[in-house]
Amino acid sequence: MYSDTASELRCIRRTLIVLGILLLFVIGSISNSGSAENEEYPTITTNSENNLVPLGNGYFGLYSNFEETDSGHGMKIYYYDEKENKLVLKKEEDLDTVEISE
């Protein structure tokens, strides 16, 4: 009777080891595939929701800082093309130099 119990426990232990190894491979493949998606489609890491200004007709502005100038107030104007599913940078404006016409 002891040999039957011992052999059953060995069988259970082998099964648990095999399941543990398979689980490690599955977790490893999930984490690797997740990082590949991030490399293919990079995300914007800045908090741009507060800086987003809708301009209409597919145009929108994004407040930002320009690296090439010392100005802290700038806006990049983008256009979203629905047919090609692309985002196009149209122009960059320095808000300190823009004149307001009334």
Side-chain angles (χ1 to χ4, degrees):
M1 184 166 161
Y2 177 72
S3 64
D4 291 337
T5 305
S7 65
E8 188 67 29
L9 288 175
R10 272 191 235 112
C11 184
I12 291 172
R13 182 177 44 188
R14 288 180 191 147
T15 304
L16 289 176
I17 290 172
V18 169
L19 286 176
I21 291 171
L22 289 175
L23 185 63
L24 287 175
F25 282 123
V26 169
I27 290 173
S29 68
I30 290 173
S31 66
N32 288 342
S33 67
S35 64
E37 290 175 9
N38 291 338
E39 292 171 3
E40 186 176 347
Y41 300 107
T43 57
I44 298 173
T45 56
T46 60
N47 186 5
S48 61
E49 287 119 13
N50 296 335
N51 300 332
L52 192 63
V53 179
L55 300 175
N57 295 331
Y59 289 91
F60 64 92
L62 183 66
Y63 289 116
S64 62
N65 295 330
F66 294 143
E67 290 82 18
E68 57 270 0
T69 63
D70 292 333
S71 173
H73 302 90
M75 179 180 279
K76 293 182 179 182
I77 299 174
Y78 291 93
Y79 173 73
Y80 175 68
D81 188 3
E82 291 181 12
K83 292 178 183 176
E84 296 182 15
N85 195 22
K86 288 187 179 181
L87 189 64
V88 180
L89 175 65
K90 288 297 187 177
K91 73 173 148 173
E92 298 178 1
E93 288 288 332
D94 186 5
L95 296 180
D96 290 336
T97 59
V98 174
E99 295 181 17
I100 301 173
S101 61
E102 295 182 28

